[in-house]
Amino acid sequence: MIRLQDIIDQLRSHGPDVDLDGVKKAYVYSAKVHQGQTRRSGEPYLVHPLGVAHIIAQLNLDEASVMAGLLHDTLEDTLASPEEIQELFGSTVRFLVEGVTKLSKISFTSGEERQAENVRKMLMAMSQDLRVILVKLADRLHNMRTLEYMVSDRRESIATETLEIYAPLANRLGIHWIRIELEDLAFLWLYPEHHQEISDKLEKVRQERSEYIDEVTELLQRTLKENEIPGNISGRLKHLYSIHSKMQQKGLEFEDVYDIIAFRIITGNVGECYRVLGLIHAMWKPVAGRFKDYIAMPKINRYQSLHSTVLGPYGERVEIQIRTKDMHRVAELGIAAHWAYKEGVSGGLESRAGLKQFAWLRELLDHQKDIKDPAEFLESVKVDLFSDEVFAFTPQGDVKAMPRGATALDFAYSVHTDVGHRCVGAKINGKIAPIRQKLKNGDTVEILTSPKQRPSKDWLAFVKTPRAKNKIRTVIRAEQRKRSQEIGREVLEKECKRHGINLGRKWRSGEIGKVAGELEFKNSEEMLAALGYGKISTTRVLDLLLPKDQRKASQNALEKLRPSKIAQVFKRPMRKSKSGILVQGMDDVLVRFAKCCNPIPGDSLVGVITRGRGVTVHTQSCRRVKDAEQERILEIRWDVDLETMHTIGIRVLCEDRPGLLANITSVLSDSGINISQVSASAEVGEMANCRLKIGIKSLDQLKDILKKIEKIRGVSQVERMQS
């Protein structure tokens, strides 16, 4: 159990000018307001604030952050008020405590729209003061350390959001020791069997590996001493989740994961780093393609180090990391290593640390601020925040950091929006390449443009960066909207001519604008677009354009026609459909299911109006929905009273062994699942790739089936196919 003295000792190690009185005062206040409260473990609640504050102190953060750690739950769980916190501890501590309190209410297992808004709030909190998210990470880490006392469902939920949101966030902030611990703890609760299996196997080889580590360490120390290079050397086994990830990504057994040992050499300066690298490559043969120079090209989170995998003694693969002391401090503490509280630096993006080290966060917020679609926003954030990086160069030598899988077209948009719009190809390392060519580390890219080129909807299928996708979608939506307005105008002109109405005169007199207002559109262009999309009929417009004495409809009928489709949606109940889909405000509409995402009962739905084809049903996360215009989108939901069968595809990555496919089909058959199609393929020495089409009644049934298949011996991965 952490004591106040442990926190004080940690703070004293930061330097002599530490405000210990404020920290002690925050401890006494927290103990007072939390008195009588206990955790699920039965321990006094104060154990948690103390644990969080100690982690914050380990991050070398300032006293205000430590005080916020001690007080972070007071506003939510006690009768303390923000005004009282400010009066006792100052405005900075109040701001941090309020910021963490807001983030504590975030639930990442909620609906997609709410989740997107919560992630947006988290990014905004980071932009205002990075210490808010650092205190929140400390809070999450301490909660993960005591997750065993939670009920199983809640435990799985917390572990999932930790692995999907908080661990990648810690990685992006450069705090690797927190990222590693969060990953291992989440792995423990999400995949206990795999965790135990890898842990047991690692324990069996630990003694042998420890002897090997000692031997290699001694060789390295001798080499450095002979060459008069001072340095500290340490060796370790890689952490459990990283081993599990490599096994999953490459379809390997534990015994086939060779580079599970990593050595770290810390030297005095950059020159010595490269000297050590040369000595190691002279001793042991480097593995081709496994050298990375993060000193010359730091990661976005400012991580710097030389990485090389070599064939060490006895032909074993080992990873070597070489860095300076300052680089090591940044590698372990990330943004916290840049904290300059003694100089009075604030914690926001305007701070010295924030401006220099985390310009990526400002860029991320700039990219996301205009995205309204929740699924599109979450996709953008995950790509921006959590993906691996590729470094490419302009012909002038400027470095562009991009997510892995980025293309030449992504590179073009990173240079300038107009360059992206006009891109027709690229020269990569001097050779002509198509715009969809994926970039590799070290590529030099020259973009080729043409004034006749225009963005295409097809580009969205292969671009990777949120910036490129957002810019392409903006152009496409504008063009689609313009085309819909043209169609709407043509349709209206045709109908007006048939009824003897001079549309030009009505337009000049402002009558068209008045009609648009009566139909609850912002302007006439919006009304024309709605006509083009088929969301309103020309009959409704003509009924309002004709003189009163020529109107054939009764006053009651007219009043019924006046409200917009949106108003009707909320006034009329949903009508049932044989398809199992309820469409707001429509009772005779054609419904079809999108083949791109194959929605099944339990998925969150979106309906997209398709000209001549009724309403197409998509899942909310479907990429096609992200490209659809908001005017085409309708509210729909499943009819829970009607049970329907839906065919979906699943993909199973597994060992290529006799009988495994039979095991999979047997599990499906025993569960009463009908199989309509099966295909399998495997290259020599590679994993088998099985694709099956099955009949499913609900999302819960699918999840149950996927879990059963995942437990089959030899199955590495099983997932739902989206197209």
Side-chain angles (χ1 to χ4, degrees), residues 36-208:
Q37 296 179 351
T38 58
R39 305 198 81 208
R40 289 179 182 270
S41 62
E43 297 174 303
Y45 194 86
L46 188 62
V47 167
H48 175 59
L50 281 168
V52 172
H54 188 251
I55 293 169
I56 294 167
Q58 287 178 298
L59 286 170
N60 288 343
L61 294 182
D62 58 356
E63 303 95 301
S65 302
V66 175
M67 291 158 69
L70 288 166
L71 302 167
H72 76 277
D73 277 337
T74 55
L75 295 183
E76 188 173 3
D77 296 336
T78 76
L79 297 176
S81 67
E83 294 75 20
E84 187 177 10
I85 297 292
Q86 178 167 338
E87 182 181 346
L88 292 172
F89 306 104
S91 57
T92 300
V93 174
R94 171 186 173 169
F95 178 84
L96 295 177
V97 173
E98 284 189 309
V100 177
T101 301
K102 290 175 183 175
L103 294 186
S104 297
K105 296 176 181 177
I106 288 179
S107 172
F108 290 102
T109 55
S110 58
E112 193 170 58
E113 187 169 349
R114 186 179 171 194
Q115 180 180 352
E117 192 53 39
N118 286 334
V119 174
R120 203 186 295 264
K121 285 178 183 176
M122 179 178 285
L123 295 178
M124 290 304 298
M126 288 168 63
S127 71
Q128 292 170 12
D129 196 319
L130 286 161
R131 288 174 292 185
V132 172
I133 200 64
L134 294 174
V135 175
K136 182 59 185 173
L137 278 174
D139 177 37
R140 175 50 57 109
L141 178 57
H142 191 263
N143 280 328
M144 286 297 294
R145 287 173 176 175
T146 56
L147 200 58
E148 63 194 280
Y149 299 106
M150 300 294 291
V151 296
S152 60
D153 288 350
R154 185 71 181 126
R155 194 162 55 214
E156 184 175 334
S157 168
I158 293 172
T160 298
E161 67 187 34
T162 297
L163 196 59
E164 292 183 354
I165 301 292
Y166 287 103
L169 188 56
N171 180 57
R172 192 58 179 267
L173 292 171
I175 313 172
H176 292 293
W177 71 271
I178 286 185
R179 187 260 302 175
I180 287 170
E181 190 171 351
L182 287 175
E183 286 179 344
D184 280 350
L185 288 169
F187 178 40
L188 168 65
W189 297 112
L190 287 175
Y191 307 101
E193 293 178 1
H194 290 178
H195 183 280
Q196 188 63 51
E197 180 184 354
I198 294 175
S199 182
D200 290 344
K201 289 180 178 179
L202 204 59
E203 195 58 42
K204 286 180 181 178
V205 300
R206 189 175 297 278
Q207 182 60 39
E208 176 189 336

Side-chain angles (χ1 to χ4, degrees), residues 253-267:
E253 292 295 325
F254 177 84
E255 292 73 20
D256 299 324
V257 180
Y258 296 111
D259 51 344
I260 63 171
I261 301 176
F263 290 88
R264 184 176 296 141
I265 302 173
I266 300 175
T267 64

Side-chain angles (χ1 to χ4, degrees), residues 501-564:
I501 300 173
N502 189 321
L503 183 60
R505 188 177 300 158
K506 298 284 186 184
W507 203 277
R508 288 190 295 273
S509 68
E511 287 184 63
I512 297 294
K514 291 178 182 177
V515 169
E518 287 188 62
L519 292 172
E520 298 184 12
F521 291 104
K522 291 180 181 177
N523 50 50
S524 53
E525 284 74 20
E526 241 189 41
M527 183 182 73
L528 290 179
L531 281 168
Y533 291 134
K535 294 195 78 170
I536 63 169
S537 66
T538 53
T539 304
R540 296 178 63 192
V541 179
L542 290 174
D543 279 338
L544 296 175
L545 278 177
L546 288 168
K548 287 184 180 180
D549 56 355
Q550 294 183 29
R551 295 186 186 181
K552 298 179 181 180
S554 66
Q555 187 64 28
N556 289 340
L558 181 60
E559 289 301 321
K560 184 177 180 181
L561 288 171
R562 281 184 189 277
S564 68

